[in-house]
Amino acid sequence: MLLFSGRLEEGVVRMKQACRLGPRSFVTGMAVAHFVRRDFALALYESERAIESNPRYPFARAVAAASAFWLKDHGKARAHADTLAAMQPAFDAGALLRTFGANVDAVASMATALKAIGER
């Protein structure tokens, strides 16, 4: 909530603490924290770490694909998006907007990136 309410630095500190206390519960927590801050390089790094520990975790793939897209690494974005599509053929970027709110900047950024990747 801190991250989405604009308290970015405090949100990252709290997410680091949550990840230490419950690493299995916050597999992509740091990736999301960095994505919200628009630090896409760290978001990609953390999402790929999450994928290493759980290769079949769709949300980690979505964060990785969107992060790579905003970094203009379209090959890596496509690779993550293709794996996501193979794992979850019914995945729809619009569902992110409906579920988490189109008015949340990070959610809109992720959905925009995933939609753009899908159109290529």
Side-chain angles (χ1 to χ4, degrees):
M1 294 310 299
L2 293 169
L3 291 161
F4 289 113
S5 67
R7 295 166 60 185
L8 302 178
E9 296 312 313
E10 187 179 356
V12 169
V13 169
R14 297 292 180 213
M15 184 57 71
K16 285 180 182 176
Q17 183 179 30
C19 289
R20 276 194 310 275
L21 295 173
R24 297 284 299 155
S25 299
F26 296 97
V27 175
T28 60
M30 288 309 301
V32 171
H34 293 304
F35 193 92
V36 170
R37 294 174 61 228
R38 302 184 71 74
D39 187 339
F40 301 120
L42 280 175
L44 179 59
Y45 171 78
E46 292 291 349
S47 59
E48 287 182 333
R49 282 188 57 212
I51 290 166
E52 286 176 14
S53 69
N54 187 353
R56 305 235 4 112
Y57 187 35
F59 187 63
R61 292 283 177 182
V63 176
S67 298
F69 175 84
W70 291 119
L71 290 169
K72 300 189 184 330
D73 187 340
H74 299 294
K76 189 173 275 193
R78 166 61 51 208
H80 284 300
D82 287 349
T83 303
L84 173 61
M87 291 186 318
Q88 296 288 324
F91 178 83
D92 170 29
L96 289 172
L97 297 172
R98 291 187 298 278
T99 303
F100 298 106
N103 60 333
V104 178
D105 185 52
V107 174
S109 260
M110 188 174 295
T112 297
L114 294 172
K115 185 175 184 230
I117 296 165
E119 292 172 350
R120 291 176 185 242

